[in-house]
Amino acid sequence: MVKNKVLIAQKRAKMTEVRSVSVAIIGAGAGGIAAAIKLREAGIDSISIFEKENDLGGTWRDNTYPGLICDVPSHLYRYSFAPNPDWSRTFSPGSEIYKYVRGVAEEYDVEPLISYDSEVTRLEYIESRWHLHTNKGFQGEFDVVISAVGILHHPVYPDFEGLDSFAGDCFHSARWDHSMSLIGKRIGIIGTGSTAVQIVGAVVDDVEKLSLFQRTPQWVLGAPNAFYSDEDKARYRDEPGEMERAYNSLARTLNHGFAAAVVGENEEALMTMQAGCQQNLDENIHDDELRRKLTPDYSAGCKRLIVSDLFYPAISKPNAELVTESISRIEPDGIRTADGRLHELDVLVLATGFDPHRFLADSEVIGRDGQTLNSTWSEGNYAYKTICVPGFPNLFFLGGPNSPIGNFSYLLTAETQYSYIEQLISLLRNHTLAEVDPKPDVTDEFNRTLKKAIPKTVWASGCQSWYFDKFGNIGSWPWTFARFEEELAQPVLSDFQYRNC
Ligand code: N01
């Protein structure tokens, strides 16, 4: 007891020595919520979260399409400080993850920190402070800004001739219209990424006819999605050590197997993955012509790997059709393909993905010397170790350029990045520094090394994917996840430049 009192007194004394800093977080998704919880835990009280929508949860708020399942195993997809014994299945439904993220935010009382419907339109660095403006007219000053705007967030809309003329219901998969019933309708789905594959599996039995418009076939791993029994959940609840062991075993398999394979560090795992996808295709698609159409001409893992044991059985059903003729235009009654055929539709779903390279592109971000972030990134986004950019002091990114965005847990990535950011923030707090940003030459060297590593990744082995930006750069971490954790364990202080208060 006495010892505790001494410790608390010491902690208080220490707290009074530190400079107080205010932090703005942009985005109330899974990353922003984690940052707020951890900042508070570190003793920072002045935290404001700006969220442009009217709810928290990021991707799990936006995506509500039928069949939405996280392709990262449930027990890996959790905050380290909030393990969850109650996941229902190996891969959790999106609604369950939304509930989990919301539950954590409520438990840690994060919601009062959030300003909803508040889009950050401008950030300007003036005399060691970020001047932040929102679309609601708010103006405030902060010592630190953390961007947690997410990655798969800006829907990509295809620009087919006549898209606006379609007479039925038409929406992007991330803007699902739940007011509409699919029962007995003719549905067209454009795209064959994870989203489209999950929708196909979920809706095929409800609709009269399903037409899937494929531009490029994808490799699909057929992992079963088993339910956890009540006994499993009770065991995880009663013996947290066991849940931790399950987590560690999954992390080892994913990070050292799959993640090492896609960056060219585990040839055997890559071959196993390829063989697993091929086997899934061979065993579940019995029609030779359909199998030919569904067979990719690139390596498994080149595009982000799809996990589904429902897709092949669903696309083989008599009311489903895989359309591989290219789309000529959209007409009021449906889609006209290059062979002249009109595919009549009542509903058209654009499962055409997201632009993961936008970051803060919609805000005007003006750095220390008056340069904008958009001009700094005019030939492609880059950062020092995914976290920060020279000339933009005290602006830190969760999920920044070249973050690991393969089939990983974004929560783990964001927490790893956060703890690195927290160490930089403590430099500001403990050493009365006004600003910290990475040195330009060190940042250049980091990005030269990164670019050299890209060609040996499977993503660069001959396919097109959302990993590429418009300049042809691959925006993912080209090394192992273990290296990501190592590089972000502790900042190398000599890699940064500082200014005193
Ligand atoms: O998007 P995608 P997604 N004409 O970009 C096609 C994550 N996710 O929403 O391959 C015709 O993968 C495009 O064709 P092509 C997951 O990381 C996570 O499915 O470019 N087709 C492609 O088939 C995933 O990787 C979960 O030739 C057009 C599709 O649209 C990421 O989100 C669940 C076209 C887009 O596929 C994105 O997946 C679901 C056009 N003009 C998704 N434009 C989780 O579990 C695009 N396409 C967390």
Side-chain angles (χ1 to χ4, degrees):
M1 190 70 162
V2 174
K3 194 173 163 207
N4 273 348
K5 276 189 179 160
V6 171
L7 282 177
I8 290 166
Q10 280 174 348
K11 201 169 171 192
R12 286 230 174 95
K14 208 169 163 215
M15 304 274 256
T16 56
E17 289 163 22
V18 298
R19 176 165 89 87
S20 75
V21 297
S22 53
V23 182
I25 298 171
I26 309 178
I33 288 165
I37 292 169
K38 295 275 188 175
L39 284 165
R40 223 193 231 147
E41 200 177 276
I44 293 176
D45 293 325
S46 175
I47 305 164
S48 306
I49 307 178
F50 298 92
E51 167 55 56
K52 76 180 160 86
E53 301 295 337
N54 62 4
D55 190 13
L56 52 75
T59 193
W60 304 110
R61 172 204 60 219
D62 289 349
N63 287 279
T64 58
Y65 60 78
L68 171 60
I69 295 250
C70 182
D71 55 16
V72 174
S74 310
H75 278 280
L76 264 191
Y77 204 86
R78 50 86 154 154
Y79 296 116
S80 62
F81 53 87
N84 177 19
D86 293 318
W87 293 121
S88 66
R89 311 180 69 165
T90 309
F91 301 99
S92 299
S95 54
E96 210 175 304
I97 301 177
Y98 169 79
K99 240 162 72 195
Y100 168 74
V101 173
R102 168 157 275 292
V104 170
E106 282 169 7
E107 188 184 336
Y108 286 84
D109 204 23
V110 172
E111 207 152 24
L113 305 176
I114 306 174
S115 300
Y116 285 120
D117 297 312
S118 296
E119 180 168 10
V120 174
T121 50
R122 184 181 164 90
L123 277 171
E124 186 172 12
Y125 192 72
I126 305 170
E127 292 176 0
S128 306
R129 304 205 89 197
W130 282 103
H131 292 235
L132 182 150
H133 301 235
T134 71
N135 60 341
K136 273 189 152 174
F138 169 88
Q139 295 185 22
E141 291 179 29
F142 298 89
D143 298 299
V144 170
V145 175
I146 297 179
S147 164
V149 295
I151 298 168
L152 298 161
H153 174 55
H154 297 281
V156 168
Y157 288 86
D159 65 348
F160 295 115
E161 182 193 331
L163 185 56
D164 288 345
S165 73
F166 183 62
D169 291 296
C170 175
F171 44 84
H172 191 276
S173 55
R175 302 285 182 269
W176 195 270
D177 179 357
H178 289 277
S179 67
M180 170 225 54
S181 161
L182 286 177
I183 308 284
K185 298 225 173 115
R186 297 162 301 175
I187 181 174
I189 302 169
I190 300 178
T192 48
S194 295
T195 301
V197 159
Q198 292 181 352
I199 296 171
V200 170
V203 307
V204 69
D205 290 332
D206 293 338
V207 300
E208 181 191 313
K209 171 93 201 274
L210 183 152
S211 307
L212 179 66
F213 294 85
Q214 170 183 286
R215 186 165 66 180
T216 315
Q218 296 251 30
W219 287 112
V220 180
L221 202 62
N225 193 8
F227 283 95
Y228 286 107
S229 64
D230 288 344
E231 291 77 42
D232 289 332
K233 293 179 201 168
R235 206 177 58 250
Y236 283 150
R237 196 172 308 112
D238 298 342
E239 298 169 39
E242 181 142 348
M243 187 160 51
E244 205 50 31
R245 277 192 289 284
Y247 172 87
N248 287 331
S249 147
L250 281 167
R252 255 195 316 278
T253 311
L254 192 72
N255 295 343
H256 304 297
F258 171 80
V262 291
V263 296
E265 297 277 342
N266 190 340
E267 184 67 23
E268 199 186 327
L270 197 63
M271 284 161 65
T272 306
M273 189 163 79
Q274 179 76 54
C277 291
Q278 186 69 56
Q279 188 184 359
N280 186 34
L281 181 66
D282 294 343
E283 286 179 359
N284 292 296
I285 298 291
H286 306 297
D287 179 88
D288 290 346
E289 179 59 5
L290 183 58
R291 195 174 336 103
R292 187 187 63 72
K293 286 180 173 175
L294 286 168
T295 305
D297 62 359
Y298 54 85
S299 302
C302 187
K303 284 171 179 279
R304 183 168 152 147
L305 194 68
I306 296 179
V307 181
S308 171
D309 63 345
L310 300 179
F311 176 59
Y312 287 150
I315 199 66
S316 303
K317 295 204 169 181
N319 67 332
E321 181 182 1
L322 181 75
V323 181
T324 54
E325 279 291 333
S326 61
I327 296 170
S328 296
R329 61 179 177 277
I330 314 287
E331 299 183 2
D333 292 335
I335 294 184
R336 179 84 59 184
T337 43
D339 54 0
R341 186 174 155 203
L342 176 67
H343 302 260
E344 289 185 288
L345 303 170
D346 304 306
V347 179
L348 176 55
V349 178
L350 309 172
T352 42
F354 302 89
D355 176 358
H357 308 284
R358 289 185 72 78
F359 298 102
L360 293 173
D362 297 328
S363 316
E364 190 174 22
V365 183
I366 304 167
R368 181 177 46 216
D369 304 315
Q371 77 279 32
T372 66
L373 192 58
N374 282 339
S375 64
T376 302
W377 283 350
S378 62
E379 291 174 21
N381 310 319
Y382 65 89
Y384 169 75
K385 295 189 179 179
T386 76
I387 299 288
C388 42
V389 184
F392 296 84
N394 308 352
L395 169 62
F396 306 118
F397 288 83
L398 295 179
N402 292 99
S403 291
I405 49 174
N407 298 53
F408 298 109
S409 163
Y410 175 67
L411 274 56
L412 177 58
T413 296
E415 275 196 63
T416 306
Q417 291 170 324
Y418 171 79
S419 70
Y420 184 92
I421 292 168
E422 188 184 302
Q423 293 176 69
L424 294 175
I425 295 176
S426 29
L427 294 175
L428 303 178
R429 299 174 77 207
N430 297 335
H431 298 278
T432 58
L433 289 175
E435 65 179 50
V436 55
D437 65 327
K439 290 178 178 165
D441 57 335
V442 173
T443 305
D444 288 347
E445 181 53 30
F446 171 78
N447 284 286
R448 262 196 299 277
T449 316
L450 183 140
K451 283 213 161 89
K452 272 197 217 144
I454 293 277
K456 69 177 178 48
T457 67
V458 70
W459 313 311
S461 66
C463 72
Q464 191 46 249
S465 73
W466 58 261
Y467 294 148
F468 286 89
D469 68 11
K470 62 182 179 202
F471 304 100
N473 300 314
I474 288 182
S476 191
W477 180 260
W479 301 292
T480 59
F481 200 82
R483 177 158 172 183
F484 178 68
E485 291 180 309
E486 259 165 49
E487 296 241 9
L488 269 67
Q490 213 178 7
V492 176
L493 297 184
S494 57
D495 286 357
F496 291 87
Q497 47 197 5
Y498 310 94
R499 210 169 62 76
N500 287 321
C501 281

PDB file of all heavy atoms in Angstrom, residues 261-286:
ATOM      1  N   ALA A 261       6.079 -15.030 -47.035  1.00  0.00           N
ATOM      2  CA  ALA A 261       5.966 -15.570 -48.398  1.00  0.00           C
ATOM      3  C   ALA A 261       5.764 -14.444 -49.412  1.00  0.00           C
ATOM      4  O   ALA A 261       6.448 -14.397 -50.432  1.00  0.00           O
ATOM      5  CB  ALA A 261       4.802 -16.559 -48.467  1.00  0.00           C
ATOM      6  N   VAL A 262       4.857 -13.517 -49.129  1.00  0.00           N
ATOM      7  CA  VAL A 262       4.532 -12.497 -50.137  1.00  0.00           C
ATOM      8  C   VAL A 262       5.668 -11.497 -50.356  1.00  0.00           C
ATOM      9  O   VAL A 262       5.733 -10.849 -51.384  1.00  0.00           O
ATOM     10  CB  VAL A 262       3.203 -11.749 -49.827  1.00  0.00           C
ATOM     11  CG1 VAL A 262       2.026 -12.678 -49.990  1.00  0.00           C
ATOM     12  CG2 VAL A 262       3.216 -11.097 -48.458  1.00  0.00           C
ATOM     13  N   VAL A 263       6.600 -11.404 -49.393  1.00  0.00           N
ATOM     14  CA  VAL A 263       7.726 -10.488 -49.606  1.00  0.00           C
ATOM     15  C   VAL A 263       8.984 -11.240 -50.047  1.00  0.00           C
ATOM     16  O   VAL A 263      10.095 -10.711 -49.997  1.00  0.00           O
ATOM     17  CB  VAL A 263       8.023  -9.613 -48.355  1.00  0.00           C
ATOM     18  CG1 VAL A 263       6.851  -8.703 -48.063  1.00  0.00           C
ATOM     19  CG2 VAL A 263       8.378 -10.465 -47.138  1.00  0.00           C
ATOM     20  N   GLY A 264       8.800 -12.470 -50.494  1.00  0.00           N
ATOM     21  CA  GLY A 264       9.916 -13.218 -51.078  1.00  0.00           C
ATOM     22  C   GLY A 264      10.854 -13.830 -50.063  1.00  0.00           C
ATOM     23  O   GLY A 264      11.994 -14.135 -50.369  1.00  0.00           O
ATOM     24  N   GLU A 265      10.365 -14.035 -48.830  1.00  0.00           N
ATOM     25  CA  GLU A 265      11.247 -14.558 -47.778  1.00  0.00           C
ATOM     26  C   GLU A 265      10.892 -15.984 -47.381  1.00  0.00           C
ATOM     27  O   GLU A 265      11.472 -16.526 -46.449  1.00  0.00           O
ATOM     28  CB  GLU A 265      11.148 -13.664 -46.522  1.00  0.00           C
ATOM     29  CG  GLU A 265      11.612 -12.252 -46.719  1.00  0.00           C
ATOM     30  CD  GLU A 265      13.124 -12.091 -46.592  1.00  0.00           C
ATOM     31  OE1 GLU A 265      13.769 -12.970 -46.028  1.00  0.00           O
ATOM     32  OE2 GLU A 265      13.630 -11.070 -47.103  1.00  0.00           O
ATOM     33  N   ASN A 266       9.877 -16.546 -48.014  1.00  0.00           N
ATOM     34  CA  ASN A 266       9.497 -17.923 -47.659  1.00  0.00           C
ATOM     35  C   ASN A 266       8.880 -18.590 -48.895  1.00  0.00           C
ATOM     36  O   ASN A 266       7.659 -18.644 -49.056  1.00  0.00           O
ATOM     37  CB  ASN A 266       8.508 -17.898 -46.476  1.00  0.00           C
ATOM     38  CG  ASN A 266       8.271 -19.288 -45.911  1.00  0.00           C
ATOM     39  OD1 ASN A 266       8.524 -20.293 -46.587  1.00  0.00           O
ATOM     40  ND2 ASN A 266       7.764 -19.346 -44.693  1.00  0.00           N
ATOM     41  N   GLU A 267       9.766 -19.060 -49.765  1.00  0.00           N
ATOM     42  CA  GLU A 267       9.368 -19.657 -51.037  1.00  0.00           C
ATOM     43  C   GLU A 267       8.416 -20.837 -50.823  1.00  0.00           C
ATOM     44  O   GLU A 267       7.429 -21.010 -51.538  1.00  0.00           O
ATOM     45  CB  GLU A 267      10.642 -20.110 -51.767  1.00  0.00           C
ATOM     46  CG  GLU A 267      10.440 -20.679 -53.169  1.00  0.00           C
ATOM     47  CD  GLU A 267       9.953 -19.628 -54.164  1.00  0.00           C
ATOM     48  OE1 GLU A 267      10.177 -18.418 -53.932  1.00  0.00           O
ATOM     49  OE2 GLU A 267       9.333 -20.037 -55.146  1.00  0.00           O
ATOM     50  N   GLU A 268       8.727 -21.625 -49.781  1.00  0.00           N
ATOM     51  CA  GLU A 268       7.934 -22.832 -49.546  1.00  0.00           C
ATOM     52  C   GLU A 268       6.482 -22.457 -49.198  1.00  0.00           C
ATOM     53  O   GLU A 268       5.534 -23.051 -49.707  1.00  0.00           O
ATOM     54  CB  GLU A 268       8.570 -23.606 -48.395  1.00  0.00           C
ATOM     55  CG  GLU A 268       8.141 -25.052 -48.358  1.00  0.00           C
ATOM     56  CD  GLU A 268       8.688 -25.736 -47.102  1.00  0.00           C
ATOM     57  OE1 GLU A 268       9.796 -25.367 -46.653  1.00  0.00           O
ATOM     58  OE2 GLU A 268       7.963 -26.599 -46.579  1.00  0.00           O
ATOM     59  N   ALA A 269       6.331 -21.424 -48.341  1.00  0.00           N
ATOM     60  CA  ALA A 269       4.981 -20.996 -47.952  1.00  0.00           C
ATOM     61  C   ALA A 269       4.228 -20.451 -49.166  1.00  0.00           C
ATOM     62  O   ALA A 269       3.024 -20.646 -49.309  1.00  0.00           O
ATOM     63  CB  ALA A 269       5.056 -19.941 -46.854  1.00  0.00           C
ATOM     64  N   LEU A 270       4.955 -19.780 -50.071  1.00  0.00           N
ATOM     65  CA  LEU A 270       4.314 -19.246 -51.275  1.00  0.00           C
ATOM     66  C   LEU A 270       3.790 -20.394 -52.146  1.00  0.00           C
ATOM     67  O   LEU A 270       2.668 -20.341 -52.661  1.00  0.00           O
ATOM     68  CB  LEU A 270       5.332 -18.404 -52.058  1.00  0.00           C
ATOM     69  CG  LEU A 270       4.763 -17.451 -53.100  1.00  0.00           C
ATOM     70  CD1 LEU A 270       3.877 -16.400 -52.446  1.00  0.00           C
ATOM     71  CD2 LEU A 270       5.900 -16.744 -53.861  1.00  0.00           C
ATOM     72  N   MET A 271       4.616 -21.439 -52.257  1.00  0.00           N
ATOM     73  CA  MET A 271       4.199 -22.588 -53.057  1.00  0.00           C
ATOM     74  C   MET A 271       3.021 -23.316 -52.418  1.00  0.00           C
ATOM     75  O   MET A 271       2.099 -23.764 -53.092  1.00  0.00           O
ATOM     76  CB  MET A 271       5.383 -23.545 -53.272  1.00  0.00           C
ATOM     77  CG  MET A 271       6.349 -23.002 -54.322  1.00  0.00           C
ATOM     78  SD  MET A 271       7.960 -23.754 -54.250  1.00  0.00           S
ATOM     79  CE  MET A 271       7.584 -25.433 -54.671  1.00  0.00           C
ATOM     80  N   THR A 272       3.034 -23.390 -51.100  1.00  0.00           N
ATOM     81  CA  THR A 272       1.921 -24.029 -50.388  1.00  0.00           C
ATOM     82  C   THR A 272       0.631 -23.242 -50.622  1.00  0.00           C
ATOM     83  O   THR A 272      -0.445 -23.805 -50.844  1.00  0.00           O
ATOM     84  CB  THR A 272       2.225 -24.080 -48.861  1.00  0.00           C
ATOM     85  OG1 THR A 272       3.479 -24.697 -48.693  1.00  0.00           O
ATOM     86  CG2 THR A 272       1.168 -24.828 -48.094  1.00  0.00           C
ATOM     87  N   MET A 273       0.757 -21.915 -50.599  1.00  0.00           N
ATOM     88  CA  MET A 273      -0.413 -21.056 -50.811  1.00  0.00           C
ATOM     89  C   MET A 273      -0.948 -21.240 -52.233  1.00  0.00           C
ATOM     90  O   MET A 273      -2.152 -21.395 -52.453  1.00  0.00           O
ATOM     91  CB  MET A 273       0.022 -19.605 -50.604  1.00  0.00           C
ATOM     92  CG  MET A 273      -1.076 -18.605 -50.568  1.00  0.00           C
ATOM     93  SD  MET A 273      -0.418 -17.105 -49.830  1.00  0.00           S
ATOM     94  CE  MET A 273       0.467 -16.397 -51.189  1.00  0.00           C
ATOM     95  N   GLN A 274      -0.030 -21.250 -53.192  1.00  0.00           N
ATOM     96  CA  GLN A 274      -0.413 -21.443 -54.598  1.00  0.00           C
ATOM     97  C   GLN A 274      -1.124 -22.789 -54.764  1.00  0.00           C
ATOM     98  O   GLN A 274      -2.192 -22.881 -55.372  1.00  0.00           O
ATOM     99  CB  GLN A 274       0.868 -21.408 -55.466  1.00  0.00           C
ATOM    100  CG  GLN A 274       0.636 -21.623 -56.953  1.00  0.00           C
ATOM    101  CD  GLN A 274       0.069 -20.377 -57.609  1.00  0.00           C
ATOM    102  OE1 GLN A 274       0.633 -19.310 -57.506  1.00  0.00           O
ATOM    103  NE2 GLN A 274      -1.072 -20.528 -58.259  1.00  0.00           N
ATOM    104  N   ALA A 275      -0.534 -23.840 -54.162  1.00  0.00           N
ATOM    105  CA  ALA A 275      -1.107 -25.180 -54.290  1.00  0.00           C
ATOM    106  C   ALA A 275      -2.481 -25.243 -53.625  1.00  0.00           C
ATOM    107  O   ALA A 275      -3.417 -25.867 -54.146  1.00  0.00           O
ATOM    108  CB  ALA A 275      -0.164 -26.207 -53.676  1.00  0.00           C
ATOM    109  N   GLY A 276      -2.620 -24.552 -52.488  1.00  0.00           N
ATOM    110  CA  GLY A 276      -3.897 -24.547 -51.770  1.00  0.00           C
ATOM    111  C   GLY A 276      -4.988 -23.880 -52.602  1.00  0.00           C
ATOM    112  O   GLY A 276      -6.134 -24.352 -52.655  1.00  0.00           O
ATOM    113  N   CYS A 277      -4.640 -22.781 -53.272  1.00  0.00           N
ATOM    114  CA  CYS A 277      -5.619 -22.072 -54.108  1.00  0.00           C
ATOM    115  C   CYS A 277      -5.999 -22.944 -55.311  1.00  0.00           C
ATOM    116  O   CYS A 277      -7.178 -23.055 -55.667  1.00  0.00           O
ATOM    117  CB  CYS A 277      -5.045 -20.750 -54.604  1.00  0.00           C
ATOM    118  SG  CYS A 277      -4.821 -19.535 -53.309  1.00  0.00           S
ATOM    119  N   GLN A 278      -4.990 -23.559 -55.927  1.00  0.00           N
ATOM    120  CA  GLN A 278      -5.248 -24.406 -57.102  1.00  0.00           C
ATOM    121  C   GLN A 278      -6.157 -25.577 -56.717  1.00  0.00           C
ATOM    122  O   GLN A 278      -7.107 -25.909 -57.425  1.00  0.00           O
ATOM    123  CB  GLN A 278      -3.905 -24.926 -57.662  1.00  0.00           C
ATOM    124  CG  GLN A 278      -4.033 -25.712 -58.967  1.00  0.00           C
ATOM    125  CD  GLN A 278      -4.439 -24.825 -60.138  1.00  0.00           C
ATOM    126  OE1 GLN A 278      -3.778 -23.847 -60.430  1.00  0.00           O
ATOM    127  NE2 GLN A 278      -5.566 -25.161 -60.780  1.00  0.00           N
ATOM    128  N   GLN A 279      -5.859 -26.165 -55.566  1.00  0.00           N
ATOM    129  CA  GLN A 279      -6.652 -27.304 -55.098  1.00  0.00           C
ATOM    130  C   GLN A 279      -8.106 -26.874 -54.844  1.00  0.00           C
ATOM    131  O   GLN A 279      -9.052 -27.580 -55.208  1.00  0.00           O
ATOM    132  CB  GLN A 279      -6.022 -27.850 -53.819  1.00  0.00           C
ATOM    133  CG  GLN A 279      -6.646 -29.141 -53.347  1.00  0.00           C
ATOM    134  CD  GLN A 279      -6.038 -29.590 -52.022  1.00  0.00           C
ATOM    135  OE1 GLN A 279      -5.137 -28.947 -51.461  1.00  0.00           O
ATOM    136  NE2 GLN A 279      -6.536 -30.702 -51.508  1.00  0.00           N
ATOM    137  N   ASN A 280      -8.266 -25.709 -54.255  1.00  0.00           N
ATOM    138  CA  ASN A 280      -9.606 -25.189 -53.992  1.00  0.00           C
ATOM    139  C   ASN A 280     -10.391 -25.049 -55.298  1.00  0.00           C
ATOM    140  O   ASN A 280     -11.555 -25.448 -55.395  1.00  0.00           O
ATOM    141  CB  ASN A 280      -9.498 -23.836 -53.281  1.00  0.00           C
ATOM    142  CG  ASN A 280     -10.838 -23.286 -52.845  1.00  0.00           C
ATOM    143  OD1 ASN A 280     -11.742 -24.030 -52.485  1.00  0.00           O
ATOM    144  ND2 ASN A 280     -10.961 -21.961 -52.884  1.00  0.00           N
ATOM    145  N   LEU A 281      -9.707 -24.511 -56.310  1.00  0.00           N
ATOM    146  CA  LEU A 281     -10.340 -24.326 -57.627  1.00  0.00           C
ATOM    147  C   LEU A 281     -10.683 -25.687 -58.243  1.00  0.00           C
ATOM    148  O   LEU A 281     -11.816 -25.924 -58.684  1.00  0.00           O
ATOM    149  CB  LEU A 281      -9.367 -23.544 -58.522  1.00  0.00           C
ATOM    150  CG  LEU A 281      -9.810 -23.207 -59.934  1.00  0.00           C
ATOM    151  CD1 LEU A 281     -10.990 -22.238 -59.914  1.00  0.00           C
ATOM    152  CD2 LEU A 281      -8.654 -22.555 -60.706  1.00  0.00           C
ATOM    153  N   ASP A 282      -9.709 -26.591 -58.262  1.00  0.00           N
ATOM    154  CA  ASP A 282      -9.907 -27.893 -58.916  1.00  0.00           C
ATOM    155  C   ASP A 282     -11.003 -28.705 -58.237  1.00  0.00           C
ATOM    156  O   ASP A 282     -11.801 -29.364 -58.901  1.00  0.00           O
ATOM    157  CB  ASP A 282      -8.601 -28.704 -58.911  1.00  0.00           C
ATOM    158  CG  ASP A 282      -7.540 -28.045 -59.775  1.00  0.00           C
ATOM    159  OD1 ASP A 282      -7.910 -27.180 -60.601  1.00  0.00           O
ATOM    160  OD2 ASP A 282      -6.346 -28.380 -59.618  1.00  0.00           O
ATOM    161  N   GLU A 283     -11.026 -28.639 -56.909  1.00  0.00           N
ATOM    162  CA  GLU A 283     -11.990 -29.498 -56.200  1.00  0.00           C
ATOM    163  C   GLU A 283     -13.401 -28.937 -56.202  1.00  0.00           C
ATOM    164  O   GLU A 283     -14.360 -29.683 -56.049  1.00  0.00           O
ATOM    165  CB  GLU A 283     -11.528 -29.696 -54.748  1.00  0.00           C
ATOM    166  CG  GLU A 283     -10.350 -30.647 -54.661  1.00  0.00           C
ATOM    167  CD  GLU A 283      -9.856 -30.853 -53.242  1.00  0.00           C
ATOM    168  OE1 GLU A 283     -10.417 -30.249 -52.304  1.00  0.00           O
ATOM    169  OE2 GLU A 283      -8.889 -31.626 -53.086  1.00  0.00           O
ATOM    170  N   ASN A 284     -13.521 -27.631 -56.394  1.00  0.00           N
ATOM    171  CA  ASN A 284     -14.853 -27.037 -56.239  1.00  0.00           C
ATOM    172  C   ASN A 284     -15.483 -26.512 -57.510  1.00  0.00           C
ATOM    173  O   ASN A 284     -16.662 -26.153 -57.515  1.00  0.00           O
ATOM    174  CB  ASN A 284     -14.801 -25.933 -55.185  1.00  0.00           C
ATOM    175  CG  ASN A 284     -14.547 -26.506 -53.809  1.00  0.00           C
ATOM    176  OD1 ASN A 284     -15.376 -27.241 -53.304  1.00  0.00           O
ATOM    177  ND2 ASN A 284     -13.389 -26.230 -53.256  1.00  0.00           N
ATOM    178  N   ILE A 285     -14.701 -26.424 -58.585  1.00  0.00           N
ATOM    179  CA  ILE A 285     -15.298 -26.016 -59.861  1.00  0.00           C
ATOM    180  C   ILE A 285     -15.215 -27.219 -60.803  1.00  0.00           C
ATOM    181  O   ILE A 285     -14.114 -27.602 -61.233  1.00  0.00           O
ATOM    182  CB  ILE A 285     -14.572 -24.789 -60.457  1.00  0.00           C
ATOM    183  CG1 ILE A 285     -14.687 -23.578 -59.517  1.00  0.00           C
ATOM    184  CG2 ILE A 285     -15.131 -24.452 -61.843  1.00  0.00           C
ATOM    185  CD1 ILE A 285     -16.072 -22.963 -59.371  1.00  0.00           C
ATOM    186  N   HIS A 286     -16.367 -27.791 -61.095  1.00  0.00           N
ATOM    187  CA  HIS A 286     -16.377 -29.042 -61.856  1.00  0.00           C
ATOM    188  C   HIS A 286     -16.516 -28.816 -63.355  1.00  0.00           C
ATOM    189  O   HIS A 286     -16.212 -29.707 -64.149  1.00  0.00           O
ATOM    190  CB  HIS A 286     -17.503 -29.952 -61.328  1.00  0.00           C
ATOM    191  CG  HIS A 286     -17.387 -30.146 -59.845  1.00  0.00           C
ATOM    192  ND1 HIS A 286     -16.309 -30.766 -59.262  1.00  0.00           N
ATOM    193  CD2 HIS A 286     -18.180 -29.745 -58.809  1.00  0.00           C
ATOM    194  CE1 HIS A 286     -16.444 -30.757 -57.942  1.00  0.00           C
ATOM    195  NE2 HIS A 286     -17.572 -30.132 -57.647  1.00  0.00           N
TER     196      HIS A 286
END
